[in-house]
Amino acid sequence: MIRVLLADDQSLVRAGFRALLDAQPDIEVAGEAADGAEAVRLVGELRPDIVLMDIRMPHLDGLAATRAITQDARLDDVRVVMLTTFELDEYVFEAIRSGASGFLVKDTEPDELLRAVRAVVGGDALLSPGVTRRLIAEFAARSKEPAASAGLGELTEREREVMALVGIGLSNEEIARRLVVSPLTAKTHVSRTMVKLGARDRAQLVVLAYESGLVRPGWLG
């Protein structure tokens, strides 16, 4: 059973998500929070698998709440998906840096929401090509010279190659076609790379790919 915590200051939004999620045989809503502070407290108490976190909330916003959750070693298994009004929300960059596993727009189709919840709990990141492109563009605008990463020395040549392809926004299927391997092999390389670098998920791997200099501005054209 996938346990979900809903964090949104609008009760109607929470009610809509709850009705959809609780109707699924493999998903249950473990709790609801109306602000970021309450979300952090409830995550500690309930230990849900995933938090659907609104970015803009009173008292403690979604970004600060996400940082509090992802920086707590006791909550390593909890994944946070940010809820935004628009896919290219101005806080996309900061949220990924804060440890969010992905994004959902609030008017996402029900089937897409359910697929997303299951995908994130399964270890995938919810980053559309548009969000990935914005993430890299933000790095290009904000970052200084890439910092050397000792962790990359532990990667094989193929793992470095796969990490770079993840960094420019390719899916496992696209990586498989690029490298002429099976999707399962591509997924295995991605998983091993995340383990070696201590990345929580695919979203953090994108961040590490850029910060290490493995991905550079202009690669996306």
Side-chain angles (χ1 to χ4, degrees):
M1 184 67 72
I2 299 172
R3 303 176 69 248
V4 180
L5 177 71
L6 303 175
D8 195 296
D9 61 337
Q10 299 180 48
S11 58
L12 284 177
V13 172
R14 297 198 308 272
F17 280 130
R18 175 181 278 276
L20 174 64
L21 296 171
D22 276 343
Q24 307 307 307
D26 60 333
I27 302 174
E28 68 175 3
V29 175
E32 298 183 24
D35 60 63
E38 186 178 16
V40 173
R41 179 178 62 80
L42 288 177
V43 167
E45 292 178 3
L46 303 175
R47 302 297 177 90
D49 299 297
I50 184 171
V51 183
L52 296 183
M53 181 86 74
D54 187 21
I55 285 183
R56 298 176 181 85
M57 290 186 292
H59 306 306
L60 189 70
D61 65 27
L63 292 175
T66 297
R67 283 193 293 271
I69 292 168
T70 59
Q71 291 174 4
D72 189 334
R74 298 169 300 175
L75 305 175
D76 276 349
D77 293 333
V78 179
R79 296 291 175 262
V80 179
V81 171
M82 309 303 296
L83 299 175
T84 68
T85 305
F86 303 102
E87 184 183 66
L88 297 184
D89 189 286
E90 62 182 342
Y91 295 114
V92 164
F93 175 83
E94 292 302 333
I96 292 294
R97 291 295 301 270
S98 297
S101 293
F103 290 82
L104 282 174
V105 290
K106 289 188 178 181
D107 60 355
T108 295
E109 291 295 323
D111 286 348
E112 180 65 16
L113 170 65
L114 297 173
R115 184 200 68 77
V117 167
R118 293 177 177 120
V120 170
V121 170
D124 292 332
L126 193 61
L127 288 174
S128 71
V131 168
T132 301
R133 286 175 182 271
R134 178 177 174 83
L135 178 64
I136 298 300
E138 290 285 357
F139 272 124
R142 300 184 187 200
S143 295
K144 299 179 181 179
E145 286 298 311
S149 175
L152 292 188
E154 300 180 12
L155 303 182
T156 65
E157 183 177 348
R158 176 47 60 91
E159 287 166 349
R160 283 171 172 258
E161 189 175 11
V162 167
M163 181 178 176
L165 295 176
V166 170
I168 63 173
L170 299 191
S171 66
N172 288 344
E173 290 72 20
E174 291 168 332
I175 292 173
R177 288 196 295 270
R178 181 76 67 91
L179 300 180
V180 195
V181 298
S182 71
L184 179 59
T185 297
K187 182 177 182 180
T188 298
H189 284 311
V190 172
S191 298
R192 286 177 178 170
T193 301
M194 289 193 295
V195 169
K196 287 184 178 181
L197 296 180
R200 287 173 61 90
D201 53 30
R202 198 183 191 93
Q204 193 173 22
L205 196 60
V206 173
V207 173
L208 294 174
Y210 188 90
E211 290 187 330
S212 67
L214 206 55
V215 172
R216 299 180 184 275
W219 280 23
L220 294 178

